[in-house]
Amino acid sequence: MHFSDLPERLAEVRGRIAHAAQRGGHGQEAAMTIIAVTKTHGPEAVRAAVRAGIRDIGENKVQEALRKQDELESAGGLDGVRWHLIGHLQTNKAKSLRRFALFHALDRDGLLRAVDAVGTRTSDSSGASAADVADAPMIAKPIDALVQVNVLGEESKGGYAPDALPALADRLHEARGITVRGVMTMAPFEAEEAELRAVFIGARAARDVLRAAGHPAVELSMGMSGDYEVAVEEGATMVRIGTVLFGERS
């Protein structure tokens, strides 16, 4: 699959985002980031996205993402690509976050501790290949992350409850290995517009709690192929788009 119509699809998405930002009035249009979600598609989807002008690539599963990164690197790499891990992460795979520009799913205390350890760890070991950054010699460098917020308390989703954010904001100041860049949320599939807005408004409020506590939390990662326009109207700075750009997944 060559995704020959991707530039046209992307142009339409950009247009819809621009109009939604104007309607919402939150002033984030200049800072909007489209994250092309390539899960279940091969490395050719990443190449197509880059050719179309997208540099932010999102993956849900860490192992799938690492395979694509390695395959693309072995073929010459793609300069300037920013990889986003947007899905659930097991604590024992936290070291893989060295391979990503931003982690969107900091959703529980156990993972917080694991990510903090990765961001503060140093190693004097040598000999690792450049291709395997996760196991390469490391210097202490905080991991950029978004706090996942579960606004409606859905049992099927991870994330912190909004009323947990003030105490969490204090604990995150102690996590020297994490830089909190904002909040991520997901609305229920096939939700009515009023429910979508409630989720996105709740996430925006959660982001504001983190900012008020002194974190550099400017990002709001919310909105996918089915609801990104409403998310932008409610202040999203990042939207995670897959099906609208690449078609149905296999």
Side-chain angles (χ1 to χ4, degrees):
M1 186 179 295
H2 298 290
F3 306 104
S4 59
D5 62 345
L6 181 56
E8 290 77 17
R9 290 182 181 227
L10 177 59
E12 181 176 354
V13 168
R14 290 193 191 281
R16 289 181 178 273
I17 286 174
H19 286 114
Q22 291 171 3
R23 292 193 301 270
H26 293 281
Q28 84 279 31
E29 182 179 356
M32 279 297 310
T33 299
I34 296 173
I35 300 170
V37 181
T38 56
K39 68 176 183 179
T40 76
H41 294 295
E44 66 274 9
V46 180
R47 296 188 184 96
V50 172
R51 287 196 300 269
I54 297 178
R55 292 289 176 177
D56 291 272
I57 304 298
E59 288 288 337
N60 285 64
K61 296 181 178 180
V62 65
Q63 290 304 118
E64 181 180 350
L66 298 182
R67 285 196 299 270
K68 288 179 187 175
Q69 290 175 6
D70 290 342
E71 183 172 336
L72 289 165
E73 183 171 346
S74 67
L78 292 172
D79 293 336
V81 170
R82 294 179 292 269
W83 291 89
H84 298 248
L85 186 61
I86 62 178
H88 177 82
L89 181 67
Q90 296 175 344
T91 56
N92 64 355
K93 295 180 180 177
K95 68 178 182 179
S96 299
L97 291 176
R98 293 287 191 183
R99 307 270 298 261
F100 297 88
L102 184 63
F103 176 47
H104 289 234
L106 188 64
D107 63 355
R108 61 197 188 277
D109 286 352
L111 182 59
L112 189 160
R113 291 189 290 270
V115 175
D116 183 32
V118 171
T120 56
R121 193 175 79 185
T122 59
S123 173
D124 295 326
S125 63
S126 59
S129 68
D132 194 1
V133 178
D135 293 322
M138 293 181 290
I139 60 172
K141 181 182 178 183
I143 301 296
D144 286 339
L146 305 180
V147 173
Q148 182 173 339
V149 178
N150 189 341
V151 175
L152 299 181
E154 295 176 84
E155 293 184 0
S156 61
K157 291 186 174 72
Y160 289 93
D163 61 9
L165 267 291
L168 177 64
D170 291 339
R171 295 202 305 277
L172 284 166
H173 279 303
E174 300 173 0
R176 302 298 184 184
I178 300 172
T179 300
V180 180
R181 296 297 181 186
V183 160
M184 183 273 272
T185 199
M186 294 178 287
F189 290 112
E190 299 182 356
E192 298 292 336
E193 183 175 328
E195 190 172 37
L196 291 176
R197 291 192 187 278
V199 171
F200 298 147
I201 290 169
R204 190 174 72 234
R207 189 269 312 268
D208 292 346
V209 168
L210 295 173
R211 291 180 70 179
H215 293 284
V218 299
E219 303 292 356
L220 261 180
S221 172
M222 57 189 196
M224 298 184 289
S225 288
D227 57 19
Y228 71 91
E229 291 180 76
V230 177
V232 172
E233 289 177 4
E234 295 299 344
T237 64
M238 294 180 164
V239 291
R240 310 180 301 271
I241 309 293
T243 304
V244 167
L245 294 177
F246 301 108
E248 295 295 331
R249 297 183 177 95
S250 58

